[in-house]
Amino acid sequence: MFLNLRLTSIHHLSWLLIAVVTASPAFAEEPVGYNRDVRPILAANCFTCHGFDATAREADLRLDAFEHATAPRKQTAAIVPGEPEASGIIQRITHDDPREVMPPPDTGHVVSDEQVAILKQWIAEGANYEDHWSFITPTRPALPEVSNPEWVQNPIDAFVMAKLDEADLRPSEPANKRTLIRRVSFDLTGLPPTPEEVEAFVADESPDAYERLVDRLLNSPRYGEHMARFWLDAARYADTHGYQYDLSRTMWPWREWVINAYNENMPFDQFTIEQLAGDLLPNATESQKLASGFNRNHPITIEGGIIDQEYITEYVMDRVETTSTVWMGLTMGCARCHDHKFDPVTMDDFYSFYAFFNQVPERGHGSQNQFKPTMQVTPPMQRGRLQELERELAELQGQRDELLQDKSQREQWRTSLANRVKAWQQAEPVSVNSTADTKFKTLDDGSVLANGPAPDKETYEVLLHVEGPVAAVRLEALTHESLPDGSVGRAFNGNFVLTRFEAAAAPMGTEDFTEVAIASASADYEQDGYPVAGAIAGSGGKGWAIDGNTRRENSTAVFTFDEPIEHSEGTTLRLRMVHDWGSTHAIGRFRLSTVEDVPTDVPASTLALLQADPETLSAEQRVDLDTYLLSAFGTDAERDLVQQLYSLRGEYQQVAEQRPTVMIMADHAERKPTYVLEQGIYDGANKDRPVSPRTPDALPAIPDDQPKNRLGLARWLVSDEQPLTARVQVNRLWQQMFGTGIVETAGDFGTQGEWPTHQGLLDWMAVEFVDSGWDVKHMMRTIVMSATYQQSSRIRSEMLDADPRNRLLARGPRHRLGAEVVRDNALAVSGLLSDKMGGPSVYPYQQQGLWEETNNRPGLMEEYVLSKGEDLYRRSLYTFWKRSVLAPTMQAFDAPSREVCSVQRSRTNTPLQALALMNDPQFIEAARFLAERMIHEGEPSFEGRVTRGFKLAVGRRPTSRELDVLRDLYAQQLQRYERDHEAARKTISVGKGARDDDIEPVFHAAWTTIARTILNLDETITKE
């Protein structure tokens, strides 16, 4: 184990040493430029008091615009073009008197001598002001001339080489093929190459071998999963609502939409429009409406006692800040309370942008999983299976229709079956009473309507008189206009919870009641987590509910007795409907029926058809009845055909009915007015400052022929005139591949953001992105096909001196894998990783009790239920994302909580990461399975098995030194486990995966330690 710690610590130490070096890249001297050289100095030291924000401006002096800075003043203008010494700004920043010097000493800001020299030179050259570089529409720059044109493989390399020439650096040699396939596999799919893929690539000497590898990876479905994880950060996607209780929500179908969009290479302009305004598109499809869920991913509260408008305001604020960050790289949120101090964004600009998103008919307080506007959707990854099932069903139905041409025996079969079936008899109550003050009214159709004040809890007691046997009771919960939202329940949301259904029987005319055992219960609809079976006494369930807050339909439940009841003089049936859930969740209108016999072998739908008047049956219903008759009375071949048909129908219905309810965007029918909120407070609406939807004045306006709503905004964001979107997106793609963007501040392209290291390259890529049709795969392919990307990442001494952070790109990218990829890599090399795509989020290994620590309120606490089978080994993209309790290992490796939009993860190296890799059950179990692969797949020798492990984990053979160290470790561990068999059994018993019993435990445990060591290497958790 000491070796394990030592090897891991090398990883942490090496990165910590590099992180200490903070020197900026060395750039060749150039003429002073306002945007690159001067604006950062003024922004850091002057704009807080002398910038765009008029409310914070001192001495009525503004330094961010030429006409203001050069305007005459009592003594001298702040800036006198051509005369630095006569300029007030130079006089004040170089003043000796602490009462006169600027910035004031108490601000902590000091203008350095080097910065003073820059300002002087700039003023001497005429004090030329420029629009901020990112607000200028990019044009395709000419490719620079370079010292080594043979190195250039595509335009990216020309721009990189030009910067290296300026810094007197040279590029690195190409990475070896083992390194390259590992690097590009992680970058395009988030998964390692298999040893077989590595060896095939190494052996392939054709000139297009790498190009074909890239194309294969881009066409892999794993590409979409990998790309989606970056977008989920930006979209602040999570499986919970956030805030205090942080309960579950259902938005995973939107995640599937994102994965599919990347795999299908949806053009980014369409990707943008559908997510920001898919619901507003003409004849919007279900998929487009689902896409608009992007701006419903923000946290939403379910806490009681809140001020509704306060939280509605926060939701809209979140959409403004997220949209401006993700697409524009602007910190517009800074203008919520005052004009932006550094960028040309006023409060009017902010609230005009806010007006685009202030039209959603929503509430500040949601009810658990439902926050209107919502819709039920077929998850995108199920649509393909539905289409496949439809084709198979059509083929079987055609064969069935041929059989149904012969009608000779079916009437006889129908009569025979009908004689077995008795019809439901509606039972009008003799009396209905409540344990509370509820009043009841019997309506013309025999149903009972509850009215009057709705108590918190209550029990209905109903007496029925029945002649003949009673085998079951049917309870219909019916809608009524007097109930909340015209639903079936008395709760505020139209729902009910029938916590218990009880029955007792007595001979008619007596009160000698005997409890009746209920054998089973079924219903035509059940709310998730509230099945009707839970209403049977002793079941331990919560009871029966029907999603009243989203579903406004009649619902039916059938309670079947253990044995039929019959008294010769008739039966008095006493039914109790208990509603103990609270919050007035009682049934509002109901109707009861009884039946003498319930044939267990005849489906309920067939029973209904048999009991109906044959003249009232539709052609489709006749076919359904005849199909059942074939299955009951036909030949073996006919029965087999119908059984196949029923099986497919069942699967189709199961898939089709999995239509979860997700949150989407929608707008009010009439435009909701928007006002500037003074100090950004929800109740600070200044009715004297109304605003209409528009873009900031410093940027192009939305064309007159476009609607002034989210759809017009989305189209504007991807228009030719918009200078930011393409730059921001290609910069984030670059950040994915190289660890740092061309603009390091990926979320801030404004005045306080970093100047691009390669502005020409950034502009070339932005124009190329647009000209390609916003083709994301094209841009990814362009990056990985460049010589820049394919360089070796080995660090040379001159690089550490001139460019320690590799901003000039004299070597290839090398950094630790992201949080999800660290785990996925371990699962992949161990053989545990599931390739199942889509579906609800899963619950892999996690320490018990973590969720209870954050929320222990009765009735609201959610239990972490460990997944089973392959769901334990799904890609980390599908891990349940709880904002308040992020999966600990993911958090240790810098995954964000996603409470807010995140376009740039931190990258730390801490001891916690080493401890997680060594002790987290998922990594120990992965090591056990890797050990099994080493034992079974490697040559039957120590070296052969270690070699197999290295090839699986890092794509190469171990060195002789590594073999020696691991051989010593193996000997030590083998001795340890031979002394302590119980420790060996514990080591190989971690996790739920089946253990290979053919491997002797001591031997297995020792090899598991070797596998744990390999999985803990710096090289294993680094993309090369």
Side-chain angles (χ1 to χ4, degrees), residues 912-924:
L912 280 177
Q913 294 167 357
L915 291 172
L917 290 172
M918 289 188 292
N919 299 301
D920 192 310
Q922 53 202 344
F923 290 103
I924 298 176

mmCIF file of all heavy atoms in Angstrom, residues 912-924:
data_model
loop_
_atom_site.group_PDB
_atom_site.id
_atom_site.type_symbol
_atom_site.label_atom_id
_atom_site.label_comp_id
_atom_site.label_asym_id
_atom_site.label_seq_id
_atom_site.Cartn_x
_atom_site.Cartn_y
_atom_site.Cartn_z
ATOM 1 N N LEU A 912 -7.445 14.095 -0.889
ATOM 2 C CA LEU A 912 -8.741 13.430 -0.927
ATOM 3 C C LEU A 912 -8.916 12.604 -2.207
ATOM 4 O O LEU A 912 -9.581 11.568 -2.202
ATOM 5 C CB LEU A 912 -9.868 14.466 -0.832
ATOM 6 C CG LEU A 912 -10.197 14.995 0.562
ATOM 7 C CD1 LEU A 912 -11.279 16.055 0.478
ATOM 8 C CD2 LEU A 912 -10.628 13.861 1.481
ATOM 9 N N GLN A 913 -8.328 13.087 -3.285
ATOM 10 C CA GLN A 913 -8.453 12.351 -4.539
ATOM 11 C C GLN A 913 -7.740 11.005 -4.440
ATOM 12 O O GLN A 913 -8.265 9.976 -4.887
ATOM 13 C CB GLN A 913 -7.895 13.198 -5.684
ATOM 14 C CG GLN A 913 -8.716 14.451 -5.936
ATOM 15 C CD GLN A 913 -8.020 15.442 -6.844
ATOM 16 O OE1 GLN A 913 -6.886 15.233 -7.257
ATOM 17 N NE2 GLN A 913 -8.698 16.535 -7.161
ATOM 18 N N ALA A 914 -6.545 10.990 -3.859
ATOM 19 C CA ALA A 914 -5.827 9.731 -3.687
ATOM 20 C C ALA A 914 -6.591 8.798 -2.759
ATOM 21 O O ALA A 914 -6.693 7.591 -3.008
ATOM 22 C CB ALA A 914 -4.430 10.003 -3.127
ATOM 23 N N LEU A 915 -7.177 9.354 -1.693
ATOM 24 C CA LEU A 915 -7.933 8.523 -0.761
ATOM 25 C C LEU A 915 -9.171 7.939 -1.444
ATOM 26 O O LEU A 915 -9.533 6.783 -1.192
ATOM 27 C CB LEU A 915 -8.341 9.356 0.458
ATOM 28 C CG LEU A 915 -7.194 9.771 1.384
ATOM 29 C CD1 LEU A 915 -7.679 10.758 2.438
ATOM 30 C CD2 LEU A 915 -6.571 8.554 2.047
ATOM 31 N N ALA A 916 -9.826 8.725 -2.288
ATOM 32 C CA ALA A 916 -11.000 8.223 -3.004
ATOM 33 C C ALA A 916 -10.620 7.092 -3.940
ATOM 34 O O ALA A 916 -11.295 6.056 -4.005
ATOM 35 C CB ALA A 916 -11.660 9.360 -3.783
ATOM 36 N N LEU A 917 -9.523 7.260 -4.671
ATOM 37 C CA LEU A 917 -9.100 6.227 -5.616
ATOM 38 C C LEU A 917 -8.721 4.938 -4.896
ATOM 39 O O LEU A 917 -8.869 3.845 -5.443
ATOM 40 C CB LEU A 917 -7.911 6.733 -6.436
ATOM 41 C CG LEU A 917 -8.218 7.850 -7.443
ATOM 42 C CD1 LEU A 917 -6.928 8.385 -8.037
ATOM 43 C CD2 LEU A 917 -9.131 7.356 -8.540
ATOM 44 N N MET A 918 -8.224 5.060 -3.681
ATOM 45 C CA MET A 918 -7.790 3.868 -2.949
ATOM 46 C C MET A 918 -8.908 3.207 -2.163
ATOM 47 O O MET A 918 -8.890 1.992 -1.955
ATOM 48 C CB MET A 918 -6.650 4.230 -1.989
ATOM 49 C CG MET A 918 -5.332 4.534 -2.686
ATOM 50 S SD MET A 918 -3.994 4.735 -1.498
ATOM 51 C CE MET A 918 -4.454 6.252 -0.687
ATOM 52 N N ASN A 919 -9.912 3.986 -1.716
ATOM 53 C CA ASN A 919 -10.855 3.453 -0.739
ATOM 54 C C ASN A 919 -12.318 3.459 -1.160
ATOM 55 O O ASN A 919 -13.142 2.821 -0.507
ATOM 56 C CB ASN A 919 -10.726 4.228 0.579
ATOM 57 C CG ASN A 919 -9.344 4.099 1.168
ATOM 58 O OD1 ASN A 919 -8.894 3.004 1.455
ATOM 59 N ND2 ASN A 919 -8.648 5.221 1.322
ATOM 60 N N ASP A 920 -12.674 4.192 -2.198
ATOM 61 C CA ASP A 920 -14.062 4.193 -2.654
ATOM 62 C C ASP A 920 -14.421 2.792 -3.142
ATOM 63 O O ASP A 920 -13.677 2.188 -3.922
ATOM 64 C CB ASP A 920 -14.227 5.206 -3.790
ATOM 65 C CG ASP A 920 -15.688 5.472 -4.098
ATOM 66 O OD1 ASP A 920 -16.438 4.491 -4.271
ATOM 67 O OD2 ASP A 920 -16.079 6.645 -4.187
ATOM 68 N N PRO A 921 -15.556 2.237 -2.690
ATOM 69 C CA PRO A 921 -15.925 0.866 -3.100
ATOM 70 C C PRO A 921 -15.926 0.651 -4.607
ATOM 71 O O PRO A 921 -15.560 -0.434 -5.071
ATOM 72 C CB PRO A 921 -17.326 0.690 -2.511
ATOM 73 C CG PRO A 921 -17.361 1.622 -1.348
ATOM 74 C CD PRO A 921 -16.521 2.794 -1.737
ATOM 75 N N GLN A 922 -16.329 1.678 -5.375
ATOM 76 C CA GLN A 922 -16.392 1.456 -6.821
ATOM 77 C C GLN A 922 -14.999 1.261 -7.417
ATOM 78 O O GLN A 922 -14.830 0.514 -8.390
ATOM 79 C CB GLN A 922 -17.132 2.596 -7.512
ATOM 80 C CG GLN A 922 -16.644 3.981 -7.235
ATOM 81 C CD GLN A 922 -17.726 5.029 -7.500
ATOM 82 O OE1 GLN A 922 -18.718 4.763 -8.139
ATOM 83 N NE2 GLN A 922 -17.498 6.235 -6.991
ATOM 84 N N PHE A 923 -13.979 1.875 -6.816
ATOM 85 C CA PHE A 923 -12.621 1.697 -7.324
ATOM 86 C C PHE A 923 -12.000 0.391 -6.812
ATOM 87 O O PHE A 923 -11.235 -0.260 -7.531
ATOM 88 C CB PHE A 923 -11.747 2.893 -6.948
ATOM 89 C CG PHE A 923 -12.112 4.145 -7.693
ATOM 90 C CD1 PHE A 923 -12.830 5.148 -7.074
ATOM 91 C CD2 PHE A 923 -11.771 4.311 -9.025
ATOM 92 C CE1 PHE A 923 -13.192 6.302 -7.763
ATOM 93 C CE2 PHE A 923 -12.126 5.456 -9.724
ATOM 94 C CZ PHE A 923 -12.845 6.453 -9.092
ATOM 95 N N ILE A 924 -12.347 0.008 -5.582
ATOM 96 C CA ILE A 924 -11.854 -1.282 -5.080
ATOM 97 C C ILE A 924 -12.464 -2.421 -5.892
ATOM 98 O O ILE A 924 -11.779 -3.369 -6.282
ATOM 99 C CB ILE A 924 -12.180 -1.435 -3.587
ATOM 100 C CG1 ILE A 924 -11.487 -0.337 -2.772
ATOM 101 C CG2 ILE A 924 -11.762 -2.810 -3.087
ATOM 102 C CD1 ILE A 924 -11.838 -0.355 -1.298
#
